Amino acid sequence: MTKAGFGVAKARFGVAKAGFEVAKAGFEVAKAGFEVAKARFGVAKAGLRVQNLIYLQARTKCDTFYGKYGV
């Protein structure tokens, strides 16, 4: 391989390496997006649990009242 050919091969390797770094950065962005979505799902799940708890407390009070006074 001539000196010029070696320079071209080295440049191509540099381009391939840069492309790999770009792909790696894209993967990190996608991973971060997934983590954000996962966190949002956790918050929504917790909110749903709180709503269910409030609903169950209200049902318990209602059932106790109706059971106690036979209305």
Side-chain angles (χ1 to χ4, degrees), residues 31-54:
K31 187 177 173 184
F34 178 72
E35 290 298 323
V36 169
K38 187 176 173 183
R40 285 185 179 173
F41 178 73
V43 169
K45 193 174 177 183
L48 188 61
R49 284 183 184 157
V50 170
Q51 285 180 345
N52 284 341
L53 183 62
I54 292 169

Side-chain angles (χ1 to χ4, degrees), residues 6 8 11 13 21 24-25 29 35 52 58 67:
F6 182 71
V8 169
F13 179 72
E21 291 298 322
K24 186 176 174 185
V29 169
E35 290 298 323
N52 284 341

